[in-house]
Amino acid sequence: MSSATAPGQPLSQVPDQLGRFGQFGGRYVPETLSAALDQLQQAYDDALADPAFARELDDLLGAFVGRPTPLLFARRLTELAGGGQIYFKREDLSHTGAHKINNTLGQALLAMRMGKRRIIAETGAGQHGVATATACARFGLECAVYMGAEDVRRQSPNVRTMRLMGAEVRPVESGSRTLRDAINEAMRDWMASVETTHYIIGSVVGPHPFPRIVRDFQSVIGRETIDHCQRLFGRLPDTVVACVGGGSNAAGMFYPFVDHADVRLVGIEAGGRSSGEGEHAAPLSYGTPGILHGSLSYVLQDTDGQTADVHSVSAGLDYPGVGPEHSYWRDTGRVEYTNVTDAAALETFDTVARQEGILPALETSHALAWAVEEAARMQPDQILVVCLSGRGEKDAAEIARLRGQTEAAD
Ligand SMILES: *Cc1c(COP(=O)(O)O)cnc(C)c1O
């Protein structure tokens, strides 16, 4: 497929002024929001030119989040796979247990630069809601989090955490009462409140400039990984793998590597139960280009062009779209994308718990499942790094429930 990139131009030189990654991205929003998005772009450009901004964010990422996160040799998993060496980039050790805090702190700082003291966010599984509530508590910002009523029920520990941090959780009763409906409500709020309110989007999705800003805030993951690898091995890894929901942990991991053409980059989507419509959440594997939530990217659509239903055992991957830069990387061939089923992710969750003493998030377990299979095909001197995007304690109860049902059905 065509792209706007001239031959030889680095893949890192995107997006353009209009927020385009090749044909993808852009800004498809009502006029009301255009001025706020321009203001955000301006605030971000100013922040990039202000050394005090980088210093403040770095200090927070150190003392509040606990960065840099370690790079761990997964010794027993490597032995089990019997091939290349598997390393974990430990985003699960970040404050609040996943990579999402890197983005919410950065965007909270931008909101304050714009003089906005009210924050809204949407959340599905609740992790982005928790990371947003945490950043708001840290800075004393007002916070409202939209969440589908069904998700409020399923993710009650995260709801409790958000409320303890002083956030207001607003259950959304419309539609399927899940993430999609929460995003629509958050958009509606923002259109009415945009003068005083910043909307913290939780992944590399949405209208320009969000995909670029979120990617940049998450790129600390890839930069640290490059540093660690240079110090430990004197070279870059052979293969880097990350799970892809909206795509923020993967974009943050991959972006610093994209101009290093000899490093293989692989994104893993949620293969769900099967490749049938409504049975998975893998737009880069099975979708087509379309507009969703303000930008053009691969989307899962039914034959009428409506956004299709999605399914994944992991709530954080259960989204019908994906960030536009991933669509660009897919079509340029720079990043390979494939998917892993619910069953394989669940099995790998157990394996990693027993082999390494780490409960990985179910989202991450998708990337780990592919990594274990791939390591077996690699040579012992080759290095594979997995982005361990988050911890899995949040998933233990759901896994027990699924197993209970399975055992009862047997
Ligand atoms: C939210 C989440 C994801 C999926 O979101 P991305 O934007 O694709 O990174 C993956 N892993 C964990 C642990 C998450 O919390």
Side-chain angles (χ1 to χ4, degrees):
M1 199 169 285
S2 71
S3 90
T5 310
Q9 187 186 344
L11 279 159
S12 57
Q13 298 301 308
V14 289
D16 64 15
Q17 284 303 308
L18 298 173
R20 296 274 175 187
F21 303 86
Q23 67 160 317
F24 300 107
R27 186 187 281 178
Y28 300 84
V29 295
E31 194 55 39
T32 341
L33 295 183
S34 279
L37 293 166
D38 286 341
Q39 183 194 20
L40 177 61
Q41 177 66 55
Q42 189 60 53
Y44 186 59
D45 289 345
D46 292 347
L48 286 179
D50 178 1
F53 180 83
R55 223 174 305 128
E56 184 171 11
L57 185 56
D58 278 354
D59 286 350
L60 276 166
L61 291 175
F64 190 60
V65 178
R67 307 203 71 90
T69 59
L71 189 67
L72 175 77
F73 178 44
R75 185 177 307 278
R76 296 188 64 235
L77 194 65
T78 294
E79 280 168 18
L80 183 77
Q85 302 167 36
I86 303 170
Y87 282 79
F88 293 165
K89 175 61 173 164
R90 299 290 309 277
E91 293 305 296
D92 60 314
L93 293 180
S94 301
H95 182 43
T96 68
H99 63 289
K100 291 201 168 70
I101 190 87
N102 300 323
N103 169 47
T104 59
L105 286 172
Q107 286 201 50
L109 290 178
L110 289 180
M112 291 187 289
R113 287 180 81 94
M114 293 184 286
K116 296 182 175 181
R117 308 284 310 178
R118 179 175 180 265
I119 299 293
I120 57 171
E122 87 297 329
T123 195
Q127 284 128 239
H128 175 56
V130 167
T132 302
T134 303
C136 289
R138 172 75 199 169
F139 298 119
L141 302 172
E142 186 185 339
C143 180
V145 178
Y146 288 92
M147 194 169 181
E150 182 59 21
D151 291 333
V152 170
R153 186 188 63 72
R154 287 189 294 200
Q155 312 289 336
S156 59
N158 281 336
V159 173
R160 218 167 294 137
T161 303
M162 286 183 252
R163 289 182 173 147
L164 285 168
M165 300 268 191
E168 182 194 345
V169 178
R170 299 189 173 174
V172 176
E173 301 283 354
S174 53
S176 56
R177 309 161 87 225
T178 59
L179 179 63
R180 223 191 290 172
D181 315 292
I183 293 176
N184 292 338
E185 271 316 302
M187 278 287 177
R188 209 162 296 149
D189 180 319
W190 204 33
M191 295 220 267
S193 64
V194 70
E195 301 288 324
T196 59
T197 299
H198 176 60
Y199 180 9
I200 298 190
I201 287 188
S203 191
V204 286
V205 299
H208 176 62
F210 280 108
R212 187 254 169 125
I213 290 176
V214 179
R215 175 201 75 194
D216 287 356
F217 286 143
Q218 293 294 1
S219 291
V220 66
I221 302 172
R223 287 196 306 272
E224 286 177 3
T225 301
I226 288 176
D227 271 6
H228 272 133
C229 288
Q230 291 292 9
R231 268 189 286 119
L232 281 172
F233 320 123
R235 67 176 181 93
L236 297 181
D238 298 282
T239 300
V240 176
V241 57
C243 65
V244 178
S248 68
N249 86 89
M253 180 54 121
F254 295 164
Y255 182 67
F257 284 100
V258 292
D259 294 332
H260 298 281
D262 46 350
V263 178
R264 185 179 179 203
L265 304 174
V266 184
I268 310 297
E269 298 190 298
R273 289 182 287 250
S274 77
S275 59
E277 188 182 302
E279 295 290 300
H280 58 80
L284 293 166
S285 303
Y286 307 120
T288 47
I291 291 166
L292 179 67
H293 299 136
S295 68
L296 178 69
S297 196
Y298 277 89
V299 181
L300 291 169
Q301 302 169 96
D302 64 21
T303 41
D304 297 333
Q306 298 295 320
T307 309
D309 288 333
V310 283
H311 161 81
S312 170
V313 71
S314 90
L317 300 184
D318 209 352
Y319 180 66
V322 66
E325 192 161 21
H326 286 290
S327 294
Y328 173 67
W329 288 336
R330 174 196 185 278
D331 282 4
T332 54
R334 176 61 188 95
V335 180
E336 299 161 51
Y337 295 90
T338 183
N339 62 85
V340 157
T341 62
D342 289 351
L346 284 164
E347 188 184 322
T348 303
F349 177 95
D350 280 355
T351 305
V352 172
R354 288 171 190 213
Q355 294 295 120
E356 294 295 339
I358 292 170
L359 298 188
L362 269 180
E363 293 83 0
T364 318
S365 299
H366 289 73
L368 288 163
W370 186 87
V372 173
E373 281 201 0
E374 181 60 20
R377 289 187 283 267
M378 293 169 71
Q379 299 303 312
D381 63 345
Q382 290 188 302
I383 295 160
L384 182 155
V385 177
V386 188
C387 184
L388 209 98
S389 57
R391 62 183 177 222
E393 281 79 358
K394 67 181 179 61
D395 297 312
E398 177 66 6
I399 289 172
R401 194 184 67 81
L402 288 170
R403 299 247 156 92
Q405 283 182 351
T406 309
E407 279 156 26
D410 292 344

